[in-house]
DNA sequence: CTTCTGGATTATGCATTCATTATGCGGATG
DNA sequence: CATCCGCATAATGAATGCATAATCCAGAAG
């Protein structure tokens, strides 16, 4: 009885908890700025406090939580300053990813990206925001994947995770949305022509525009009371 | 982010352990690829296993350790593939830092950088490798600092920490050293003229050359036995 | 003599327990 | 009546104990 099909607990309890808690934070189940109820989560997950606290430490090192000594952990809330800081970095990372992706872009991968792109455009024309976001995320992740740089993907994933929950509140305007789709058209063009530097530039400005959308959403969300589910 | 005045060792024990262990790993006290003796470290630091294991989880999430389920933790060793992955990312991050730094570069900061630079050149002419490395590191960190982007600094610090221990084994050749100093001359030029894009390009290629040095050092270190004491 | 197998030892992973600290409430005092 | 101090309670941080799994060594068999 080896570990072949025993994937219930992926690797370890604490590692599973990290993923579960990250989902809770990203999905907004744990409101930003709110305290993290250690005991409550223990009973919810049916685990002891030790693996949970280990998970909290990891999430804190990722920047999703803030640990206050002897005062528990709180969900790190995304400020406008954070977005201003993170998106230039995201832009640089994605620009690098774009350049790398263009180098080892196969026809198959390009076809997959094209399929994703037009599916996303379809969701745009149908004004289906959630599916649009999902495909959008998939496209960016796929570019990271094609880039084939695990370190790059890891850093990007970390930043993206911190931003993703803010993206849920981002009701972008029609104009912004159209602009984003247009930029994705150019992204696909650059990919098709394997123009790495150009793709990098497009991604960088694309991310900068995304930052504006997020910031507008955050500004609109200021003072808003969060409805928990 | 909110570590403005909270950076003092407030969160004792566990956070202290993270720092201590990080130093042990970076300084090579814990050999790359070697197992992490949990009990030994507990007695060394005079703490229990719980905070130490929490620290191990954090360091693992930072990429300095690898946790094997039920098989303990090992120090992540830097492979050539890792260096190939990390340095393009470092290059992008530093390039961004350079651009940002040029925007808000004061005359004072420039003067400080210039002082550091010439002090480093002095160490170069005296063939003092260790001080040269230290000042070198300081210059790059100062550019990050001037950039004023905490997220960027944090990511860079994480990657730099993983590489730093490999830099100790990097006996670069005279030619490489001269090239590095020459590149730093151009870095100072770009800073003086506040040419952000140019500084970014220089830093990117500078990092690429650094990668070659590290890789040469790693290749020379392959199969080397750790010197006892 | 070498190899395989089985047991023992040790380390790791999680739960329970203990101690310390922060916070809230109540009473006393100005 | 308001404010401040002290106590109690609850929560967090650390330690120890227990169970499980892996590794190492020894003995036996080929």
């Amino acid at each position: 009885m080896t570990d072949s099909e025993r994937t219930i607990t992926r690797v370890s309890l604490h590692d599973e908890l990290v993923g579960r808690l990250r989902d809770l934070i990203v999905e907004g189940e744990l409101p930003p700025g709110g305290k993290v109820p250690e005991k409550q989560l223990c009973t919810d997950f049916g685990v002891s406090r030790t693996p949970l606290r280990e998970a909290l430490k990891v999430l804190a090192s990722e920047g999703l939580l803030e640990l206050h000594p002897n005062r528990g952990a709180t969900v790190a809330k995304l400020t406008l300053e954070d977005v201003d800081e993170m998106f230039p970095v995201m832009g640089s990372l994605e620009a690098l990813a774009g350049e790398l992706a263009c180098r080892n872009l196969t026809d198959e991968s390009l076809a997959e990206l094209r399929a994703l792109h037009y599916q996303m455009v379809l969701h745009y024309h149908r004004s289906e925001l959630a599916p649009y976001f999902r495909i959008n995320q998939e496209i960016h992740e796929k570019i990271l994947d094609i880039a084939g740089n695990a370190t790059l993907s890891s850093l990007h994933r970390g930043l993206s995770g911190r931003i993703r929950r803010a993206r849920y509140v981002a009701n972008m305007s029609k104009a912004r949305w159209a602009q984003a789709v247009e930029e994705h058209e150019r992204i696909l063009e650059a990919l098709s022509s394997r123009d790495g530097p150009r793709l990098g530039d497009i991604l960088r400005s694309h991310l900068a525009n995304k930052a504006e959308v997020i910031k507008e959403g955050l500004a609109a969300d200021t003072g808003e009371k969060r409805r928990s589910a």
Side-chain angles (χ1 to χ4, degrees), chain A residues 13 17 38-49 51-52:
Chain A
L13 205 52
L17 282 177
E38 214 175 83
K39 205 177 70 179
Q40 180 67 29
L41 292 173
C42 283
T43 55
D44 286 353
F45 290 121
V47 297
S48 177
R49 284 178 51 216
L52 189 120

Side-chain angles (χ1 to χ4, degrees), chain A residues 48-202:
Chain A
S48 177
R49 284 178 51 216
T50 303
L52 189 120
R53 289 182 70 248
E54 291 172 350
L56 293 185
K57 301 293 183 303
V58 172
L59 292 173
S61 79
E62 291 181 11
L64 278 81
L65 294 180
E66 289 181 10
L67 297 181
H68 307 282
N70 295 335
R71 293 171 70 179
T74 57
V75 179
K77 53 182 175 182
L78 216 59
T79 67
L80 265 70
E81 290 76 23
D82 290 329
V83 175
D84 273 328
E85 280 195 350
M86 291 168 68
F87 266 94
V89 181
M90 293 271 290
S92 284
L93 294 180
E94 289 213 17
L96 173 60
E99 290 196 36
L100 293 177
C102 278
R103 290 186 197 169
N104 38 7
L105 181 65
T106 65
D107 290 339
E108 297 178 38
S109 297
L110 181 58
E112 290 178 30
L113 279 168
R114 184 174 286 119
L116 283 173
H117 173 79
Y118 284 113
Q119 192 173 355
M120 185 186 74
V121 170
L122 189 62
H123 288 308
Y124 163 66
H125 284 134
R126 290 177 180 167
S127 296
E128 297 164 346
L129 195 63
Y132 169 85
F133 273 145
R134 198 187 67 244
I135 306 291
N136 188 322
Q137 185 79 10
E138 279 185 38
I139 290 175
H140 286 275
E141 283 174 2
K142 183 137 197 68
I143 292 176
L144 262 297
D145 194 42
I146 295 170
N149 188 317
T151 302
L152 180 58
S153 293
S154 176
L155 293 187
H156 182 272
R157 190 187 317 274
L159 290 179
S160 181
R162 291 177 58 187
I163 293 175
R164 194 173 310 166
R165 70 159 183 274
R167 198 172 300 172
Y168 281 123
V169 302
N171 321 17
M172 61 170 137
S173 66
K174 268 294 181 187
R176 285 286 191 196
W177 199 351
Q179 180 189 18
V181 173
E182 171 61 27
E183 285 166 1
H184 266 270
E185 291 283 351
R186 291 210 294 273
I187 288 172
L188 189 62
E189 287 175 16
L191 279 166
S192 300
S193 57
R194 269 119 172 140
D195 190 341
R198 176 172 150 77
L199 177 58
D201 289 339
I202 296 172

